[in-house]
Amino acid sequence: GLQANTRANRLRFLSTILNRFYENGWIEDRFWKQIKIKIPKKQQVPSQENELEILLSLIDTSTFIGFRDVCVLLLLYRSGIRINTLVELREEHIHFENKELALTGDIQKNGRSLRLPLDDEMLELLSHLIKKNHEVRKRYRERNDFVFITKNGKTCQSNNHNNNSISKRLNFYSRKYGLKSISPHKIRRLYSNNLMKKGANISVISSALGHSSLTVTEKYLSLTEREISD
């Protein structure tokens, strides 16, 4: 009666434990390697363009948090970066003169640096956000140079990287407005699909996403049977 993801996780955990037993000499044979159990995987879908447009039109940009959240959504949509990378962005990562996002290895999951282009509109929004950030930090006497901060000028990071304040905020919007396809991960998938539609090959898409292998990228490109046939 368990969901497929739960079954897959438990099998993986059990396999890890048994491997450790084998390495310690407590088990002489890796008998579990002969057991093949297929778990149906749920197809991950990208965000829907129309739902993203709806959300952008509903957010009140007259407030600091509202304007910040619009910048978050647009940067996720136009750069495809991970949410954990986004909350660690500092002003030094935005190169206005070169019109690019210069990601350093210390904020990337794979530890590799990456440069991504930014259009004029995105640069203008980020410039305005940085000015607002300075005002907020000055008011609350906070000293940091993060691009995305809380209303009190603090970092949006948390001890649990999968549960930072921006992720919570996007989940809040998703529930409030009934937009099921809105999440940082689904927006990242939408970015990869849009790159493919524009003619980018899988190697370029994989590099832009900072993936460790092409296999991971293939899973992101939610191709239909017709698209594969074409």
Side-chain angles (χ1 to χ4, degrees):
L2 298 175
Q3 292 186 354
N5 286 343
T6 303
R7 281 183 283 160
N9 285 335
R10 291 189 179 182
L11 285 170
R12 189 171 70 252
F13 297 154
L14 181 58
S15 178
T16 301
I17 293 170
L18 290 173
N19 277 325
R20 181 58 58 86
F21 285 0
Y22 176 82
E23 292 168 2
N24 289 352
W26 302 342
I27 298 178
E28 296 181 356
D29 179 38
R30 293 188 176 185
F31 60 87
W32 60 95
K33 294 294 184 181
Q34 307 303 318
I35 302 173
K36 304 296 181 183
I37 302 177
K38 291 187 177 181
I39 301 294
K41 294 184 178 180
K42 185 178 180 181
Q43 180 68 33
Q44 296 290 333
V45 295
S47 291
Q48 300 298 311
E49 297 270 5
N50 65 321
E51 287 201 352
L52 189 58
E53 290 176 2
I54 290 171
L55 180 54
L56 288 169
S57 69
L58 291 173
I59 297 176
D60 181 8
T61 55
S62 66
T63 68
F64 170 72
I65 292 299
F67 180 74
R68 181 206 68 183
D69 291 346
V70 164
C71 290
V72 165
L73 288 166
L74 288 175
L75 189 59
L76 289 173
Y77 174 65
R78 295 179 184 181
S79 70
I81 62 175
R82 295 179 176 88
I83 188 66
N84 292 339
T85 297
L86 181 138
V87 297
E88 291 189 43
L89 282 180
R90 291 178 168 81
E91 294 177 15
E92 66 186 55
H93 294 123
I94 302 173
H95 291 190
F96 288 95
E97 63 283 357
N98 296 329
K99 297 185 178 182
E100 64 184 12
L101 198 60
L103 305 176
T104 49
D106 59 311
I107 65 170
Q108 286 274 80
K109 184 178 180 181
N110 63 3
R112 299 175 185 172
S113 59
L114 178 66
R115 291 178 181 270
L116 297 168
L118 293 174
D119 59 42
D120 290 336
E121 182 187 26
M122 191 74 249
L123 287 168
E124 185 177 350
L125 289 171
L126 290 172
S127 177
H128 189 51
L129 177 64
I130 288 173
K131 291 178 181 177
K132 284 181 172 288
N133 288 346
H134 292 170
E135 295 172 4
V136 172
R137 282 192 289 260
K138 183 177 179 180
R139 185 182 312 136
Y140 291 97
R141 298 181 180 179
E142 290 290 337
R143 302 182 68 178
N144 62 65
D145 62 346
F146 290 108
V147 177
F148 298 101
I149 58 176
T150 68
K151 63 181 180 181
N152 298 323
K154 299 182 183 297
T155 175
C156 291
Q157 298 172 347
S158 66
N159 293 331
N160 180 358
H161 289 293
N162 295 322
N163 201 25
N164 60 62
S165 59
I166 290 182
S167 290
K168 289 181 179 179
R169 189 73 179 171
L170 296 188
N171 288 335
F172 163 76
Y173 287 134
S174 179
R175 294 192 304 271
K176 180 179 181 180
Y177 299 118
L179 304 173
K180 296 182 179 180
S181 75
I182 298 298
S183 75
H185 189 68
K186 289 179 180 179
I187 295 175
R188 182 168 156 83
R189 284 180 177 272
L190 175 60
Y191 169 80
S192 66
N193 282 12
N194 284 342
L195 280 183
M196 180 181 64
K197 290 176 182 178
K198 291 177 181 179
N201 64 53
I202 191 170
S203 296
V204 171
I205 297 173
S206 185
S207 296
L209 292 171
H211 281 164
S212 57
S213 70
L214 295 181
T215 303
V216 179
T217 309
E218 288 172 355
K219 294 178 181 178
Y220 265 64
L221 303 175
S222 306
L223 301 174
T224 64
E225 291 181 0
R226 172 52 52 195
E227 288 171 327
I228 294 172
S229 174
D230 291 340

PDB file of all heavy atoms in Angstrom, residues 185-196:
ATOM      1  N   HIS A 185      11.672  23.252  -8.656  1.00  0.00           N
ATOM      2  CA  HIS A 185      12.164  22.140  -9.466  1.00  0.00           C
ATOM      3  C   HIS A 185      11.423  22.059 -10.799  1.00  0.00           C
ATOM      4  O   HIS A 185      12.025  21.802 -11.845  1.00  0.00           O
ATOM      5  CB  HIS A 185      11.996  20.833  -8.693  1.00  0.00           C
ATOM      6  CG  HIS A 185      12.667  19.662  -9.347  1.00  0.00           C
ATOM      7  ND1 HIS A 185      14.038  19.549  -9.452  1.00  0.00           N
ATOM      8  CD2 HIS A 185      12.155  18.557  -9.958  1.00  0.00           C
ATOM      9  CE1 HIS A 185      14.348  18.428 -10.087  1.00  0.00           C
ATOM     10  NE2 HIS A 185      13.226  17.813 -10.400  1.00  0.00           N
ATOM     11  N   LYS A 186      10.115  22.297 -10.774  1.00  0.00           N
ATOM     12  CA  LYS A 186       9.325  22.225 -12.007  1.00  0.00           C
ATOM     13  C   LYS A 186       9.641  23.388 -12.940  1.00  0.00           C
ATOM     14  O   LYS A 186       9.614  23.232 -14.168  1.00  0.00           O
ATOM     15  CB  LYS A 186       7.838  22.185 -11.667  1.00  0.00           C
ATOM     16  CG  LYS A 186       7.407  20.869 -11.031  1.00  0.00           C
ATOM     17  CD  LYS A 186       5.927  20.863 -10.679  1.00  0.00           C
ATOM     18  CE  LYS A 186       5.528  19.523 -10.054  1.00  0.00           C
ATOM     19  NZ  LYS A 186       4.099  19.484  -9.671  1.00  0.00           N
ATOM     20  N   ILE A 187       9.954  24.548 -12.375  1.00  0.00           N
ATOM     21  CA  ILE A 187      10.358  25.687 -13.205  1.00  0.00           C
ATOM     22  C   ILE A 187      11.697  25.382 -13.872  1.00  0.00           C
ATOM     23  O   ILE A 187      11.939  25.730 -15.021  1.00  0.00           O
ATOM     24  CB  ILE A 187      10.441  26.970 -12.364  1.00  0.00           C
ATOM     25  CG1 ILE A 187       9.046  27.351 -11.843  1.00  0.00           C
ATOM     26  CG2 ILE A 187      11.013  28.127 -13.199  1.00  0.00           C
ATOM     27  CD1 ILE A 187       9.033  28.527 -10.897  1.00  0.00           C
ATOM     28  N   ARG A 188      12.575  24.705 -13.135  1.00  0.00           N
ATOM     29  CA  ARG A 188      13.876  24.298 -13.694  1.00  0.00           C
ATOM     30  C   ARG A 188      13.669  23.328 -14.859  1.00  0.00           C
ATOM     31  O   ARG A 188      14.373  23.399 -15.875  1.00  0.00           O
ATOM     32  CB  ARG A 188      14.691  23.651 -12.583  1.00  0.00           C
ATOM     33  CG  ARG A 188      16.094  23.213 -12.947  1.00  0.00           C
ATOM     34  CD  ARG A 188      16.845  22.883 -11.669  1.00  0.00           C
ATOM     35  NE  ARG A 188      17.945  21.960 -11.858  1.00  0.00           N
ATOM     36  CZ  ARG A 188      19.162  22.313 -12.276  1.00  0.00           C
ATOM     37  NH1 ARG A 188      19.422  23.573 -12.561  1.00  0.00           N
ATOM     38  NH2 ARG A 188      20.123  21.412 -12.397  1.00  0.00           N
ATOM     39  N   ARG A 189      12.709  22.433 -14.741  1.00  0.00           N
ATOM     40  CA  ARG A 189      12.403  21.511 -15.836  1.00  0.00           C
ATOM     41  C   ARG A 189      11.839  22.264 -17.045  1.00  0.00           C
ATOM     42  O   ARG A 189      12.133  21.930 -18.195  1.00  0.00           O
ATOM     43  CB  ARG A 189      11.404  20.443 -15.370  1.00  0.00           C
ATOM     44  CG  ARG A 189      12.028  19.366 -14.490  1.00  0.00           C
ATOM     45  CD  ARG A 189      10.992  18.337 -14.062  1.00  0.00           C
ATOM     46  NE  ARG A 189      11.606  17.275 -13.287  1.00  0.00           N
ATOM     47  CZ  ARG A 189      12.133  16.172 -13.801  1.00  0.00           C
ATOM     48  NH1 ARG A 189      12.108  15.980 -15.107  1.00  0.00           N
ATOM     49  NH2 ARG A 189      12.673  15.250 -13.026  1.00  0.00           N
ATOM     50  N   LEU A 190      11.025  23.280 -16.763  1.00  0.00           N
ATOM     51  CA  LEU A 190      10.472  24.098 -17.853  1.00  0.00           C
ATOM     52  C   LEU A 190      11.596  24.793 -18.609  1.00  0.00           C
ATOM     53  O   LEU A 190      11.576  24.861 -19.840  1.00  0.00           O
ATOM     54  CB  LEU A 190       9.500  25.130 -17.276  1.00  0.00           C
ATOM     55  CG  LEU A 190       8.915  26.152 -18.259  1.00  0.00           C
ATOM     56  CD1 LEU A 190       8.128  25.467 -19.363  1.00  0.00           C
ATOM     57  CD2 LEU A 190       8.027  27.154 -17.518  1.00  0.00           C
ATOM     58  N   TYR A 191      12.582  25.288 -17.874  1.00  0.00           N
ATOM     59  CA  TYR A 191      13.747  25.933 -18.492  1.00  0.00           C
ATOM     60  C   TYR A 191      14.465  24.966 -19.441  1.00  0.00           C
ATOM     61  O   TYR A 191      14.806  25.327 -20.568  1.00  0.00           O
ATOM     62  CB  TYR A 191      14.703  26.401 -17.393  1.00  0.00           C
ATOM     63  CG  TYR A 191      16.067  26.840 -17.867  1.00  0.00           C
ATOM     64  CD1 TYR A 191      16.263  28.104 -18.413  1.00  0.00           C
ATOM     65  CD2 TYR A 191      17.170  25.995 -17.761  1.00  0.00           C
ATOM     66  CE1 TYR A 191      17.528  28.512 -18.841  1.00  0.00           C
ATOM     67  CE2 TYR A 191      18.428  26.384 -18.176  1.00  0.00           C
ATOM     68  CZ  TYR A 191      18.600  27.647 -18.721  1.00  0.00           C
ATOM     69  OH  TYR A 191      19.844  28.037 -19.131  1.00  0.00           O
ATOM     70  N   SER A 192      14.672  23.742 -18.994  1.00  0.00           N
ATOM     71  CA  SER A 192      15.381  22.760 -19.829  1.00  0.00           C
ATOM     72  C   SER A 192      14.571  22.415 -21.075  1.00  0.00           C
ATOM     73  O   SER A 192      15.120  22.273 -22.171  1.00  0.00           O
ATOM     74  CB  SER A 192      15.680  21.492 -19.021  1.00  0.00           C
ATOM     75  OG  SER A 192      14.485  20.807 -18.669  1.00  0.00           O
ATOM     76  N   ASN A 193      13.254  22.292 -20.927  1.00  0.00           N
ATOM     77  CA  ASN A 193      12.404  21.990 -22.077  1.00  0.00           C
ATOM     78  C   ASN A 193      12.401  23.141 -23.080  1.00  0.00           C
ATOM     79  O   ASN A 193      12.389  22.923 -24.301  1.00  0.00           O
ATOM     80  CB  ASN A 193      10.973  21.696 -21.617  1.00  0.00           C
ATOM     81  CG  ASN A 193      10.828  20.302 -21.037  1.00  0.00           C
ATOM     82  OD1 ASN A 193      11.822  19.638 -20.770  1.00  0.00           O
ATOM     83  ND2 ASN A 193       9.613  19.845 -20.816  1.00  0.00           N
ATOM     84  N   ASN A 194      12.425  24.376 -22.567  1.00  0.00           N
ATOM     85  CA  ASN A 194      12.445  25.533 -23.469  1.00  0.00           C
ATOM     86  C   ASN A 194      13.757  25.615 -24.241  1.00  0.00           C
ATOM     87  O   ASN A 194      13.775  26.007 -25.412  1.00  0.00           O
ATOM     88  CB  ASN A 194      12.222  26.824 -22.668  1.00  0.00           C
ATOM     89  CG  ASN A 194      10.760  27.012 -22.272  1.00  0.00           C
ATOM     90  OD1 ASN A 194       9.874  26.387 -22.843  1.00  0.00           O
ATOM     91  ND2 ASN A 194      10.514  27.867 -21.303  1.00  0.00           N
ATOM     92  N   LEU A 195      14.867  25.244 -23.577  1.00  0.00           N
ATOM     93  CA  LEU A 195      16.151  25.215 -24.277  1.00  0.00           C
ATOM     94  C   LEU A 195      16.103  24.224 -25.436  1.00  0.00           C
ATOM     95  O   LEU A 195      16.609  24.489 -26.528  1.00  0.00           O
ATOM     96  CB  LEU A 195      17.279  24.829 -23.322  1.00  0.00           C
ATOM     97  CG  LEU A 195      17.837  25.909 -22.397  1.00  0.00           C
ATOM     98  CD1 LEU A 195      18.989  25.344 -21.574  1.00  0.00           C
ATOM     99  CD2 LEU A 195      18.315  27.114 -23.184  1.00  0.00           C
ATOM    100  N   MET A 196      15.484  23.066 -25.171  1.00  0.00           N
ATOM    101  CA  MET A 196      15.387  22.038 -26.205  1.00  0.00           C
ATOM    102  C   MET A 196      14.534  22.535 -27.374  1.00  0.00           C
ATOM    103  O   MET A 196      14.883  22.336 -28.546  1.00  0.00           O
ATOM    104  CB  MET A 196      14.773  20.762 -25.620  1.00  0.00           C
ATOM    105  CG  MET A 196      14.637  19.627 -26.625  1.00  0.00           C
ATOM    106  SD  MET A 196      13.877  18.164 -25.885  1.00  0.00           S
ATOM    107  CE  MET A 196      12.247  18.805 -25.491  1.00  0.00           C
TER     108      MET A 196
END
